[in-house]
C-alpha cells in the first residue's frame, strides 16, 4: 500500500480542519469511516492519499438518539450495532433489515452507516482501474461490455449501480443527511443526496472532498408506518444485491394511506418509484394491485445487452415485498 | 536448537540465497513482507493487547493489523488470503468481534484488544473448537482454518449452542476454497453441544 499519515481527530471540527489544512498544503487527504472500502481502493491504487483522516476517534458519532422531533443516528455507528438497536428495529425496521443484510459479520462489525451510504460502486471496470468516468476517464466500459450486473435504469453516461443496502431504506424512510464541512453544515434530503451520472459522472453523491457525512436524521416514528428491505442475490450470501427494494407503507387498517418504494442494485442512485407507490394510496392491497404496482415499477426500465433478467427479477421482488408488508 | 518448521526452513533458506546473491548490510532490520517496496512511510507508536499480552510497537501508518500481527509480532497463524476483506483468512477478534485484519489499520487498533488463533489453546490443551475441528476433519488445506476458528469462537461466546443455520450465518465471511463448509458447520455445532465443557466452564 502507498505510504500515508493517519490522523486521529477528536471532533468533527478537527476532522474538517485536518482535511482543509492537508488540501491547502497540497496533500491528498481522504476521510475514513470503518475503512474497509477505503483500504481496498488504496491497495488497488484507485485512491492514493497522503493523509487518512480516521473518524473512528471522533466522539459521539456512534449512537442513536430520539426525541419528539427526530431520530438521529451517528454516521459512525457500525452496521452491526445499527441492526441491533431496539428502537431502530421497532420503528424503522426496513433500515435495521438493510443493515443486517450487508456483506458478512466481519464487514458489519467495522463498516459504518455513513460509509455504507458513501461506498464507491463495485463495477468491475471501476475496481480494476479502467479509465472510466468514475476513474477520471471519458467513457463507460460497461455500457457495451460486460454489463450483467449493471443498471437497468440510467440515462448514462455511466451505468454503475449504487451498491448500498442502507441507502434505499434511508431514501424510503425520508431521512436527511447532516453534512459538515469548512463552510459549516447543511441538512440534505436523502433523495437529493445521491447524484446521477449525467449531473456528475465522477461522483455518486453531493459530498465535496472536504465534507463529512456526520449524522442521519429520520422523521419521528409513526405507529401506522411499517417498512421492510428485501434483496435478491445470485448466491445465498456475501455479495451485492442484484435487485433490492425498500418499501414503506402507512396503513389504516388494511387500506394503504401512503407508500414509498425505492429500489437498489438497478440504477446509479437509489431508485425512487413514486408513480408505482402512488397506485397503492387509498387502496386495499390485493395481489392484483401488488402486481400492477410491480409492473409500474419496471415499465420504464431500459436494460443493457446482458442484464435484461433484472427486469422480471425487480417486478417479482416489488410485488411480493409490497404484498407481504401490507399483510404483516 | 530451534525446532525445524516449514517457516524456519523457508526463512533460513531464503536468507542464505539472498546472502549468496547480494551483500547484506550487517545489522539491517528484517523487512516486513507486505508493505510494498517504497521508502518507509510515516510511523506511529501504539499500544495494544494481543492474546492478553500488552505490546508497544512502532509501525508504519499504512501497516494493516494483519501485517502488524504477522510481521511485527510474528503471530503467523493469522493468514493473508485475498488481502481485500473478502476471504476471511485474516479474521481476528477486535474487542471480541470478528473483523478482517487485512482491511483494518494497525494504528486503528491502538488501545484495543485483539485475539488471534494463537490465543485459543491454553497450557491445558487445545480449545474445544480446535479439538472438534480435528475430530470432524474440518480443515483440508488449512489456510482458512484460523479465520474459521475465530468467527466460530465469536459466535459461541454470544450463542453457546447455535443451530447449523446460525453457524452458517456466522461463518458467511469465511471462504473455504476446499469447500469443506459442511464439516466446519458440523464441528462448530458439535462444540456447542459438547460435553467437553464442564459445568460453569466458558467457551471463551
Amino acid at each position: 500500500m502507498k505510504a500515508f499519515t493517519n490522523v486521529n481527530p477528536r471532533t468533527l471540527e478537527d476532522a474538517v480542519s485536518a482535511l482543509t489544512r492537508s488540501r491547502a498544503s497540497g496533500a491528498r487527504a481522504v476521510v475514513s469511516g470503518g475503512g474497509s472500502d477505503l483500504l481496498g481502493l488504496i491497495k488497488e491504487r484507485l485512491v492514493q492519499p497522503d493523509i487518512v483522516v480516521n473518524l473512528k476517534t471522533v466522539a459521539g458519532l456512534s449512537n442513536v438518539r430520539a426525541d419528539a422531533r427526530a431520530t438521529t443516528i451517528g454516521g459512525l455507528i457500525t452496521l452491526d450495532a445499527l441492526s441491533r438497536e431496539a428502537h431502530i428495529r421497532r420503528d424503522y425496521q426496513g433500515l435495521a433489515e438493510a443493515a443486517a443484510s450487508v456483506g458478512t459479520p466481519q464487514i458489519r462489525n467495522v463498516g459504518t452507516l455513513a460509509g455504507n451510504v458513501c461506498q464507491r460502486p463495485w463495477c468491475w471496470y471501476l475496481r480494476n482501474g479502467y479509465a472510466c468516468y468514475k476513474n477520471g476517464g471519458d467513457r463507460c466500459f460497461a455500457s457495451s461490455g460486460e454489463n450483467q450486473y449493471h443498471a437497468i435504469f440510467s440515462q448514462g453516461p455511466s451505468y454503475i449501480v449504487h451498491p448500498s443496502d442502507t441507502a434505499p431504506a434511508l431514501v424510503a424512510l425520508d431521512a436527511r443527511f447532516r453534512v459538515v464541512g469548512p463552510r459549516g453544515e447543511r441538512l440534505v434530503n436523502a433523495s437529493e443526496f445521491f447524484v446521477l451520472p449525467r449531473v456528475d459522472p465522477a461522483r455518486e453523491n453531493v459530498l465535496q472532498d472536504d465534507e463529512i457525512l456526520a449524522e442521519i436524521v429520520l422523521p419521528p416514528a409513526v405507529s401506522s408506518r411499517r417498512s421492510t428491505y428485501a434483496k435478491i442475490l445470485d448466491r445465498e450470501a456475501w455479495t451485492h444485491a442484484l435487485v433490492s427494494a425498500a418499501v414503506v407503507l402507512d396503513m389504516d387498517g388494511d387500506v394503504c394511506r401512503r407508500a414509498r418504494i425505492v429500489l437498489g442494485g438497478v440504477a446509479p442512485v437509489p431508485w425512487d418509484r413514486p408513480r408505482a407507490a402512488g397506485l397503492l394510496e387509498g387502496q386495499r392491497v390485493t395481489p392484483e394491485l401488488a402486481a400492477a404496482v410491480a409492473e409500474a415499477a419496471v415499465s420504464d426500465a431500459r436494460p443493457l445487452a446482458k442484464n435484461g433478467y433484472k427486469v422480471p427479477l425487480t417486478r417479482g421482488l416489488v410485488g411480493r415485498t409490497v404484498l407481504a408488508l401490507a399483510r404483516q | 536448537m530451534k525446532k525445524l518448521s516449514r517457516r524456519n526452513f523457508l526463512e533460513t533458506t531464503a536468507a542464505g540465497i539472498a546472502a549468496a546473491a547480494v551483500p547484506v548490510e550487517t545489522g539491517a532490520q528484517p523487512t516486513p513482507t507486505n508493505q510494498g517496496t517504497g521508502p518507509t512511510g510515516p510511523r506511529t507508536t501504539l499500544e495494544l493487547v494481543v492474546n492478553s499480552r500488552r505490546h508497544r510497537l512502532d509501525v508504519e501508518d499504512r501497516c494493516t493489523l494483519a501485517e502488524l500481527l504477522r510481521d511485527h509480532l510474528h503471530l503467523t497463524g493469522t493468514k493473508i488470503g485475498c488481502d481485500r476483506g473478502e476471504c476471511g483468512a485474516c479474521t481476528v477478534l477486535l474487542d471480541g468481534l470478528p473483523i478482517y485484519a487485512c482491511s483494518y489499520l494497525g494504528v486503528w487498533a491502538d488501545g484495543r484488544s485483539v485475539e488471534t488463533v494463537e490465543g485459543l489453546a491454553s497450557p491445558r490443551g487445545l480449545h474445544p473448537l480446535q479439538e472438534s475441528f480435528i475430530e470432524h476433519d474440518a480443515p483440508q488445506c488449512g489456510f482458512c482454518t484460523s479465520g474459521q476458528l475465530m468467527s466460530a469462537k465469536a459466535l459461541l461466546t454470544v450463542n453457546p449452542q447455535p443451530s447449523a443455520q446460525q453457524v452458517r450465518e456466522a461463518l458467511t465471511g469465511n471462504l473455504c476454497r476446499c469447500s469443506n463448509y459442511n464439516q466446519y458447520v458440523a464441528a462448530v455445532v458439535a462444540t456447542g453441544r459438547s460435553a467437553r465443557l464442564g459445568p460453569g466452564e466458558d467457551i471463551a
Side-chain angles (χ1 to χ4, degrees), chain B:
Chain B
M1 198 184 112
K2 206 172 180 183
K3 206 174 114 190
L4 184 67
S5 73
R6 183 172 56 174
R7 181 172 313 279
N8 292 339
F9 176 77
L10 290 172
E11 280 176 355
T12 43
T13 313
I17 292 167
V22 236
V24 177
E25 211 178 323
T26 47
Q29 294 296 306
T31 313
T33 47
N34 289 302
Q35 297 188 12
T37 51
T40 303
R43 305 178 76 86
T44 298
T45 301
L46 60 98
E47 269 188 39
L48 76 173
V49 172
V50 180
N51 300 331
S52 308
R53 285 186 56 187
R54 184 169 294 277
H55 297 272
R56 193 177 163 83
L57 290 167
D58 180 55
V59 301
E60 283 192 79
D61 287 12
R62 64 173 158 176
C63 175
T64 66
L65 180 57
E67 290 163 353
L68 180 154
L69 293 167
R70 292 178 54 84
D71 298 338
H72 293 266
L73 298 180
H74 306 291
L75 294 170
T76 51
T78 300
K79 303 301 180 193
I80 297 175
C82 67
D83 201 27
R84 295 292 185 279
E86 291 174 6
C87 77
C90 67
T91 302
V92 300
L93 307 189
L94 182 70
D95 294 331
L97 297 176
I99 70 157
Y100 295 131
C102 76
S103 298
Y104 202 86
L105 290 183
V107 290
W108 295 342
D110 190 10
R112 304 185 68 175
S113 175
V114 178
E115 191 175 342
T116 72
V117 69
E118 287 89 348
L120 288 184
S122 71
R124 287 172 289 141
L126 294 176
H127 187 277
L129 273 169
Q130 293 172 307
E131 296 279 11
S132 188
F133 272 40
I134 294 168
E135 267 171 38
H136 288 83
D137 271 340
Q140 282 194 16
C141 84
F143 203 78
C144 73
T145 305
S146 41
Q148 307 276 5
L149 281 165
M150 299 320 288
S151 285
K153 196 203 161 188
L155 171 67
L156 294 183
T157 303
V158 293
N159 180 1
Q161 298 211 309
S163 66
Q165 182 55 31
Q166 289 168 329
V167 174
R168 281 190 204 101
E169 285 168 14
L171 299 185
T172 297
N174 294 83
L175 306 187
C176 170
R177 294 308 300 267
C178 307
S179 208
N180 221 24
Y181 295 105
N182 291 342
Q183 301 310 106
Y184 277 124
V185 172
V188 180
V189 170
T191 313
R193 296 192 186 129
S194 171
R196 252 188 255 99
L197 291 179
E201 202 180 344
D202 197 338
I203 198 79

Side-chain angles (χ1 to χ4, degrees), chain A residues 1 6 43-44 104 109 238, chain B residues 61-62 83-84 86 98 102:
Chain A
M1 231 187 315
N6 176 72
K43 288 172 186 176
E44 298 292 353
T104 66
N109 285 332
W238 194 192
Chain B
D61 287 12
R62 64 173 158 176
D83 201 27
R84 295 292 185 279
E86 291 174 6
C102 76

Side-chain angles (χ1 to χ4, degrees), chain A residues 220-244:
Chain A
V222 178
S223 61
S224 58
R225 183 165 300 161
R226 54 183 80 163
S227 61
T228 192
Y229 180 77
K231 69 184 196 185
I232 296 178
L233 313 177
D234 61 2
R235 53 181 189 246
E236 275 190 54
W238 194 192
T239 186
H240 289 93
L242 295 172
V243 180
S244 68

Side-chain angles (χ1 to χ4, degrees), chain A residues 133-177:
Chain A
Y133 290 113
K134 297 288 176 191
N135 278 328
D138 62 355
R139 55 183 291 203
C140 174
F141 292 85
S143 63
S144 59
E146 294 300 319
N147 51 36
Q148 43 271 60
Y149 295 122
H150 290 75
I152 57 172
F153 299 101
S154 174
Q155 292 88 29
S158 163
Y159 289 83
I160 62 118
V161 291
H162 201 275
S164 170
D165 286 308
T166 56
L170 291 171
V171 174
L173 288 164
D174 296 320
R176 287 173 298 161
F177 294 171

